Amino acid sequence: YDYVMLHLPFFGRPRKLSALIRLSETLYLGLQNTMPMHQAMYLAHKAIHNGYLKKQLLGACEDLNHGLSCSQALKSRKLFDSLGIHLLEMGEQSNQIAASLKNLSTIYQAEYEARSILIRNIITIIVMMLAVGLMLFYTLGIYFGIFSLFRGA
């Protein structure tokens, strides 16, 4: 169910972005407080509400404990897109992974807000079209009702 919710057309990406924002923010805060990455990942899995992503993050945490780097562990579990993985790799190379996570969170937040505005605008247009259609239906009903009165007389 949770996997399907993340891959729904039009509505799946905002759900995934919301989880990735929460994940990157939690990892960032953990690392800022000098928490080791595997502990930060374990803490972050508790902040994720999607069961599929939670399972993937726990798997990445295990991969991290088996010697993979953070970016490799997250890449193998397909938690982040290519941009996210690239930023994490750069953060690992420059020893600035916390800053990379913060930047990633900001990027995902901007995309989430843009998609939310788009969805809200589309829903507004659909509601307006339904309202106009309903008004047209009532208008035609009244028109044909009056027309049939004159025809019968």
Side-chain angles (χ1 to χ4, degrees), residues 33-108:
N33 290 310
T34 65
M35 189 179 286
M37 179 55 86
H38 69 279
Q39 282 182 335
M41 272 194 194
Y42 186 76
L43 176 68
H45 107 277
K46 293 183 178 188
I48 303 295
H49 302 298
N50 183 286
Y52 172 76
L53 290 178
K54 188 178 283 210
K55 183 178 174 183
Q56 293 299 94
L57 188 58
L58 283 175
C61 193
E62 288 177 21
D63 293 344
L64 193 66
N65 288 334
H66 287 98
L68 287 179
S69 69
C70 175
S71 60
Q72 290 171 336
L74 294 171
K75 183 178 183 178
S76 71
R77 300 299 174 153
K78 297 181 179 159
L79 282 164
F80 288 103
D81 55 14
S82 59
L83 171 67
I85 297 301
H86 183 69
L87 277 173
L88 290 173
E89 287 171 344
M90 287 176 42
E92 286 173 338
Q93 291 170 2
S94 63
N95 205 23
Q96 296 290 322
I97 194 160
S100 291
L101 285 164
K102 186 64 177 167
N103 290 337
L104 190 58
S105 172
T106 303
I107 291 167
Y108 285 152

